[in-house]
Amino acid sequence: MQYSYRLRTGAQEGLSDITGMVKEAIAKSGVTDGLCLVYCPHTTAAITINENADPDVAKDIVKGLQEALSDLAAFRHLEGNSAAHIKSSVVGTSETLIIADGRPLLGTWQGVYFCEFDGPRQREFFVKIVGE
């Protein structure tokens, strides 16, 4: 089963907690044990799993990536968003989760995030559920 979700990102760079949407897709599928793939089809966005208890962690991730991977005058890409493309490649466009007892197997503090590196934009991501 495959589900698609749309979201409007509100900032040039930021993380949106999509854990609820991923849980919704798993529940809709009826799969109790299997795998869940969360995939982003954009070249300036990504998917990651990280802490969702303290919102400052998401802000720190964005700030850290901005500091480590900023646009350089030597970049040749005409749109001027090469750093966003690099961040997408570094973070990655997908995450795979284990489904156990009908729920994603996440750690106590973990959540699933859509990472925007070139917003604001209308974005889409997919959740693919495969049962045992």
Side-chain angles (χ1 to χ4, degrees), residues 30-107:
V31 170
T32 56
D33 292 291
L35 294 175
C36 171
L37 174 72
V38 183
Y39 171 72
C40 165
H42 304 287
T43 61
T44 58
I47 302 291
T48 195
I49 296 172
N50 214 297
E51 181 178 327
N52 69 351
D54 179 355
D56 284 336
V57 172
K59 292 174 187 165
D60 290 347
I61 289 170
V62 170
K63 184 66 174 165
L65 287 170
Q66 287 171 338
E67 293 289 323
L69 303 168
S70 59
D71 275 313
L72 302 175
F75 286 163
R76 298 174 55 144
H77 183 49
L78 295 177
E79 287 182 47
N81 61 353
S82 290
H85 289 284
I86 294 166
K87 291 170 191 171
S88 174
S89 289
V90 168
V91 175
T93 58
S94 67
E95 289 286 349
T96 302
L97 296 94
I98 296 170
I99 300 169
D101 297 322
R103 297 186 325 259
L105 190 59
L106 290 166

